[in-house]
Amino acid sequence: MSQSQTVEEATVQLSPVTESMSLPGVPDGKTRRYDRQLRLWAASGQNALEAAHILVLGASPTSTSILKNLVLPGIGAFTILDDGIVGGRDLGANFFFETTSLGKNKAKEAVMLLCELNDGVAGHADDRSLQQVLSEDPTYFNEFSLVIAHNIPQPLLEQVSTLLWEREVAAPLFVVRTSGFLADFGIQFKEHTVITSHSETAPSLRIDKPFSALLAHAFSLNFEGMDPTEHAHIPYVVILVRCLQEWKNDHAGNPPKTPADKKAFKERIMKMKKKDDEENFDEAYMLAYKAWTVTSVPSEIEALLNDPQTKNLNAKSDPFWHLVHALNLYVSQPPHVLPLSATLPDMKSDTKSYIHLQNLYKTQADEDKARFTDLLRGIEAGWAGGGAEGMDGVERSSAAEAMTMIDDFVKNAHGLKVLRGKKWLEQEDIAPSITASPSSLATHLALSALVHFEAQNSRLPKAADVPDAIIMTDWVREKLTGVGWKHEEKSAGGEDTDMTEGEEEDAFREIPLWEHVENAVGEVSRAPAAELPTTAALMGGIVAQEVIKVVTKHHYNPFMANGVLGYFILGNEPNNQAQGFIPLEEEWNIANLMDNIGYMRPDMGGDAFQ
């Protein structure tokens, strides 16, 4: 019978023979344990995850489900703040309480069981009440890198929101709300910087501004005297560089500009073919536009270079802005372009030619990175010319951290992103959602009505109580009429048709907003305080996923920037029609699962998060 194993032994142990050999190149234990996620957010993302300390307000089923999905990938540390005592109801909804937990503090019991999932994570329990911490120790929140609040009463939530927002470096606040089968969550953040955004825009190959080694290589090849096989494997980049320089030699240094010029340029490429089936020349013909496309600093990056944060670094500036400041100095020097990326796209070529071209790009990329590093060191020392004005007194810790981020920054300089958010409760713009996403809007407003009712009456609505439900419904109606909505008299598509009764049931029917509202408020009033394990599990995965994106800064959420909901919702419309998006600033309305818990997936714009 085998002996019991620790988490480390169970997840990363190699065979005894392999372990004892200490073979070169064999990954260490942590790399083996986290192998799959390292492929998503790399070592830099994992380091950021392990450096994070997250505060969770409340040991609810949803909170512990979120933490479970953060502990497993290796969050550095977490603290649960909850003064509650485990009761019988908690045992039926929270998988991180045991029968022996009855009568004990919720935070301590949850931390004990969560830490069993990963012995590399530090868990802490605080058995004080949130109200006590806010009144006695408001600086308590300063030590955390991110705060998650689940179903926190509105007055207390507003205090937490204000405390975090007033910090110069504000920790993101995740506000999660659930009631029965309904749930949503939003994020309060001041500024979110992203280096590895997984941009779909490829970095420039500098075909119009070739570096010296690339230009020399293009003209070192004897196209005319080359063997047909070799000729058919010249990479299109080399073909375009050669053709463009020859064109410029014939046209006073000017690239193709007019439609006629561009047509003639492409014809010149095709005339270089020795055989009709040379796909590399066909590829160069198709991508000829890269030759006359000017390599310059993208407008989005130009905006960052001119951002006040770049111009006015201070003692608490994020390391990201130290890097952007150095980038500003870099592009101010010839050839006035971003550092070269060593990444090459696939192309028609043989292995020898492709690797040689790749080595040329890698060598130049290393030289560009070295020049960028020198500029950043100059900033740290405070002697980088006029660009370092005002740098005296900048904390060396920020600049030192920036030095560790150079590789990722230079590689992804073309895809840098900065998002700026709003304070919680100053975010909503519900008017566009009235027509764009009525079901999601109804869910959001029903949960907001529940929160408002509790704040006004110092209690939750009574279960299935009609007067309380009417109060919440009237509040939603007031919110909607305030943005110009008018009550629909009847559902669209309700007219008589020639379809049979069965066909009518299956046919798509556009449900009006108010019907969604009545359904959502009905679900909230049915069991206002109900926490279902299914909803908790679903939200646990989704919220944890978004927390990881924020902590690792390895992905760019387009809906986080423009306020568009990032999740499709299935199962709440006839024929399982997908719901639309709800434009709430920095807010995701995640689940409207009153009729059926459907499958939900993130719309990541092609990214892995994405």
Side-chain angles (χ1 to χ4, degrees):
M1 182 175 178
S2 61
Q3 297 179 347
S4 61
Q5 295 177 306
T6 65
V7 173
E8 180 73 18
E9 292 169 341
T11 55
V12 304
Q13 189 177 45
L14 298 176
S15 69
V17 175
T18 306
E19 197 74 57
S20 63
M21 291 174 66
S22 299
L23 296 174
V26 174
D28 58 24
K30 188 176 77 171
T31 301
R32 295 197 295 275
R33 176 189 292 184
Y34 298 132
D35 175 65
R36 291 188 179 183
Q37 64 200 49
L38 286 170
R39 302 180 192 209
L40 289 176
W41 51 71
S44 59
Q46 187 65 29
N47 290 338
L49 197 65
E50 293 176 1
H53 188 175
I54 292 177
L55 172 65
V56 178
L57 305 179
S60 66
T62 300
S63 296
T64 53
S65 290
I66 295 170
L67 279 173
K68 181 257 294 182
N69 291 295
L70 294 174
V71 168
L72 288 172
I75 196 76
F78 70 91
T79 296
I80 300 179
L81 177 67
D82 196 328
D83 66 336
I85 301 300
V86 178
R89 289 183 57 185
D90 299 311
L91 297 181
N94 198 325
F95 291 110
F96 290 92
F97 294 146
E98 299 177 324
T99 54
T100 56
S101 302
L102 278 171
K104 299 179 182 179
N105 176 258
K106 289 183 178 181
K108 292 180 179 179
E109 290 299 297
V111 167
M112 178 183 66
L113 293 176
L114 282 165
C115 285
E116 291 182 0
L117 299 174
N118 191 338
D119 53 16
V121 175
H124 310 280
D126 193 328
D127 60 3
R128 294 178 294 172
S129 68
L130 175 57
Q131 188 169 5
Q132 179 184 355
V133 170
L134 288 170
S135 60
E136 298 177 358
D137 188 13
T139 60
Y140 174 79
F141 296 90
N142 294 346
E143 63 182 279
F144 301 104
S145 49
L146 186 144
V147 179
I148 301 173
H150 174 240
N151 282 0
I152 300 300
Q154 191 70 14
L156 295 179
L157 180 60
E158 289 179 6
Q159 292 183 58
V160 173
S161 170
T162 301
L163 274 175
L164 295 175
W165 188 258
E166 290 177 349
R167 289 170 53 186
E168 186 168 354
V169 181
L173 170 65
F174 278 65
V175 180
V176 186
R177 308 185 300 185
T178 62
S179 178
F181 284 114
L182 302 186
D184 73 357
F185 80 94
I187 304 176
Q188 170 184 292
F189 66 97
K190 267 189 178 179
E191 181 179 271
H192 181 61
T193 58
V194 183
I195 293 177
T196 311
S197 64
H198 296 263
S199 172
E200 293 184 358
T201 303
S204 171
L205 295 171
R206 289 198 202 168
I207 291 173
D208 65 317
K209 295 180 180 179
F211 48 94
S212 57
L214 177 61
L215 187 61
H217 173 63
F219 277 91
S220 70
L221 300 178
N222 183 0
F223 279 51
E224 294 296 328
M226 191 176 291
D227 176 85
T229 302
E230 289 185 78
H231 193 266
H233 290 94
I234 302 171
Y236 81 83
V237 172
V238 177
I239 297 172
L240 290 179
V241 169
R242 175 75 168 261
C243 281
L244 181 60
Q245 292 304 311
E246 291 178 347
W247 175 278
K248 287 182 176 180
N249 292 338
D250 297 339
H251 295 82
N254 296 314
K257 295 181 178 179
T258 67
D261 285 348
K262 294 173 182 178
K263 181 179 180 182
F265 180 81
K266 296 173 80 171
E267 290 174 350
R268 175 181 290 215
I269 294 173
M270 299 308 288
K271 288 179 181 178
M272 296 175 68
K273 295 176 70 172
K274 288 188 174 184
K275 297 187 297 182
D276 291 338
D277 61 350
E278 290 184 322
E279 295 181 346
N280 55 333
F281 283 88
D282 293 335
E283 190 173 40
Y285 178 89
M286 296 298 296
L287 299 173
Y289 68 90
K290 291 180 178 288
W292 57 73
T293 299
V294 178
T295 299
S296 60
V297 178
S299 58
E300 298 87 353
I301 307 303
E302 191 71 44
L304 292 182
L305 301 182
N306 295 317
D307 192 283
Q309 291 273 44
T310 305
K311 304 294 185 181
N312 305 307
L313 292 180
N314 59 56
K316 294 184 179 180
S317 291
D318 189 282
F320 175 87
W321 294 109
H322 287 259
L323 293 162
V324 175
H325 186 81
L327 185 64
N328 190 31
L329 295 177
Y330 182 94
V331 300
S332 67
Q333 302 173 2
H336 308 293
V337 294
L338 298 176
L340 186 69
S341 172
T343 303
L344 284 181
D346 291 337
M347 59 189 72
K348 304 293 183 182
S349 177
D350 58 11
T351 302
K352 179 181 177 182
S353 300
Y354 185 84
I355 291 177
H356 181 74
L357 182 64
Q358 193 171 51
N359 288 335
L360 291 177
Y361 271 83
K362 185 179 184 305
T363 300
Q364 184 61 41
D366 289 342
E367 292 178 10
D368 287 2
K369 183 173 70 174
R371 186 157 65 92
F372 178 87
T373 302
D374 289 341
L375 289 170
L376 187 60
R377 287 200 181 102
I379 291 174
E380 183 180 357
W383 51 259
E389 292 179 4
M391 285 298 299
D392 292 340
V394 174
E395 288 184 343
R396 296 180 66 85
S397 59
S398 293
E401 185 178 348
M403 295 295 293
T404 67
M405 301 162 62
I406 289 176
D407 286 349
D408 281 341
F409 186 88
V410 171
K411 179 181 178 181
N412 297 283
H414 65 287
L416 305 175
K417 304 288 182 183
V418 173
L419 314 178
R420 291 190 169 100
K422 297 179 181 178
K423 187 173 181 290
W424 180 249
L425 297 180
E426 294 178 1
Q427 301 178 358
E428 294 188 354
D429 178 17
I430 65 174
S433 302
I434 292 175
T435 55
S437 187
S439 177
S440 297
L441 176 60
T443 298
H444 172 75
L445 291 178
L447 290 167
S448 298
L450 175 62
V451 170
H452 182 265
F453 184 98
E454 182 183 13
Q456 292 296 312
N457 299 278
S458 301
R459 65 173 178 87
L460 288 170
K462 298 175 183 176
D465 184 78
V466 174
D468 286 355
I470 291 175
I471 292 174
M472 291 190 291
T473 303
D474 289 344
W475 183 88
V476 174
R477 181 184 286 108
E478 182 179 347
K479 290 284 288 186
L480 289 172
T481 54
V483 294
W485 171 82
K486 294 182 179 180
H487 189 188
E488 310 96 327
E489 293 299 327
K490 60 181 179 179
S491 302
E495 297 81 1
D496 293 336
T497 66
D498 293 331
M499 291 187 294
T500 66
E501 182 178 349
E503 291 173 332
E504 284 187 319
E505 290 178 354
D506 294 335
F508 175 77
R509 179 172 70 92
E510 183 180 350
I511 301 175
L513 172 60
W514 194 248
E515 187 174 337
H516 285 300
V517 168
E518 290 176 333
N519 290 337
V521 173
E523 170 65 9
V524 167
S525 62
R526 181 173 65 86
E531 285 211 61
L532 304 180
T534 47
T535 305
L538 179 63
M539 292 298 290
I542 295 172
V543 176
Q545 175 181 254
E546 303 306 319
V547 168
I548 290 173
K549 297 172 191 176
V550 171
V551 170
T552 62
K553 298 185 178 182
H554 249 248
H555 297 273
Y556 167 59
N557 261 340
F559 45 80
M560 189 172 172
N562 59 26
V564 177
L565 174 110
Y567 289 85
F568 287 109
I569 304 172
L570 302 182
N572 193 46
E573 290 280 12
N575 297 333
N576 286 329
Q577 295 293 322
Q579 298 301 296
F581 295 145
I582 175 173
L584 298 173
E585 288 294 329
E586 288 77 53
E587 176 145 345
W588 293 258
N589 181 303
I590 297 302
N592 189 339
L593 309 173
M594 189 162 33
D595 299 324
N596 174 34
I597 295 181
Y599 169 72
M600 302 171 64
R601 67 172 180 83
D603 175 26
M604 301 319 303
D607 290 343
F609 165 77
Q610 268 172 359

